[in-house]
Amino acid sequence: MLKLLTYFVNGLIYIVLSPYYLAKYALHLLKTIIVFIGGEIITLFNFLNGKKFRNIDELSLKLETCLRQEALQKQTIQMQTIPQQNFTNGQINQQMSYPPNQFNHPYYQQPNPTQYPPQQPQYPNYNQQTNEIPKQEDKL
Amino acid sequence: MSIFLIQLSESDKKKIAIIAIILATVIVLIGIIGELIKKRSEREGEYIDGYMYGMIRFNLITNVDKFKSYVKQREERSLYFDTRWKFRTIIILTILFFLYFYNFRNFDFTGMYNALDSLTFELYWPTERFFGLTLISDWPIVKKTPNPVLNLDGYVTYTYILLVFISFVLILDRLFIHNARIKRAKYVAHKALAPNLENLNQPRQV
């Protein structure tokens, strides 16, 4: 009921103000016609000079450059951020680079130089055929 | 007032009640339509946030006047690009329309007038004397129904009127969007950029 009353009051206000709105709209329509004529003149001059009138301005180009730079910076930061992984079993706490291979694998164990014949590197659960990384839960 | 109401007959009271209900319904409908237009205006105005947010974030625009003038300039350009083909359609159609009547009818627009006249209704409104006033007392009697003229003049006129009307409505709709965005720019510019003493000690959100 209160909503209906609000609509009623608003309706009365709109009826009273309608001449103002109509006059304003008519003025804006006139302005639109002027904008159209101006735009056509600019288009014509640009066409005669072999250019094209585009919907681009200096500031929007600057904004585009800024956004591109920001996106590039974000991408660079993401590339530089290397996940730190703590492993309890292999005493390995090394930075893993991308893409993973058998030498930068977190479970890779350095061969003991004092042992002869040299011990082969150990790759627990490491599938060399598929180059698949074992999950930490599997190791544990 | 109460004496005046007592003097009225039952049918008069009914008539007044019906008129009051119809008037109230019309006013409420106008209110609802106005609210819908207002909501649409607010929704359309939010478009400027999309590009102005970046402008302020990267400090490309740093004061209120520049904000308003940039939005105005950009929106006017967009208005031109969005309405130019509608205006051109109206101009081209008008030229073709006049060329048709110039070439084939020797500037005799009788065919056009007949075609337009055939689309109108003609109603007879029964009236009654009511306290010295002549008021409508019943539903109207239809004296003439629309009967479109289906010859070449008629087709040309109807096509011209229809296409011009559609173009004009689309231009008005785009103008409405333009006004909504300019209004939003005026409102937001102060909020986003005007110095506020209350927030003096707080770091500025960029």
Side-chain angles (χ1 to χ4, degrees), chain A residues 60-109:
Chain A
S60 59
L61 283 174
K62 272 185 189 173
L63 178 67
E64 220 169 272
T65 315
C66 289
L67 287 170
R68 209 177 296 130
Q69 276 177 358
E70 196 192 41
L72 206 68
Q73 273 175 5
K74 270 186 187 169
Q75 205 179 351
T76 316
I77 290 163
Q78 273 177 1
M79 291 285 278
Q80 283 171 352
T81 310
I82 297 152
Q84 296 282 326
Q85 294 186 21
N86 294 315
F87 296 98
T88 47
N89 274 353
Q91 302 159 359
I92 299 160
N93 184 9
Q94 66 179 51
Q95 289 183 335
M96 197 172 88
S97 61
Y98 186 83
N101 57 45
Q102 58 180 342
F103 298 111
N104 65 14
H105 191 271
Y107 298 153
Y108 173 72
Q109 289 174 0

Side-chain angles (χ1 to χ4, degrees), chain B residues 6 13-14 17 97 109 129 131 149 157 203:
Chain B
I6 290 161
K13 279 179 190 171
K14 272 182 191 169
F97 183 72
F109 289 100
R129 296 287 291 173
F131 285 101
V149 176
T157 309

Side-chain angles (χ1 to χ4, degrees), chain A residues 26-86:
Chain A
L27 271 176
H28 280 116
L29 190 64
L30 202 69
K31 199 182 91 178
T32 312
I33 292 166
I34 293 165
V35 165
F36 168 71
I37 293 165
E40 289 294 88
I41 291 165
I42 295 169
T43 309
L44 186 70
F45 272 103
N46 280 329
F47 178 74
L48 292 175
N49 291 329
K51 290 179 199 166
K52 204 177 172 188
F53 184 30
R54 289 183 175 177
N55 195 3
I56 301 168
D57 57 76
E58 202 184 327
L59 271 178
S60 59
L61 283 174
K62 272 185 189 173
L63 178 67
E64 220 169 272
T65 315
C66 289
L67 287 170
R68 209 177 296 130
Q69 276 177 358
E70 196 192 41
L72 206 68
Q73 273 175 5
K74 270 186 187 169
Q75 205 179 351
T76 316
I77 290 163
Q78 273 177 1
M79 291 285 278
Q80 283 171 352
T81 310
I82 297 152
Q84 296 282 326
Q85 294 186 21
N86 294 315

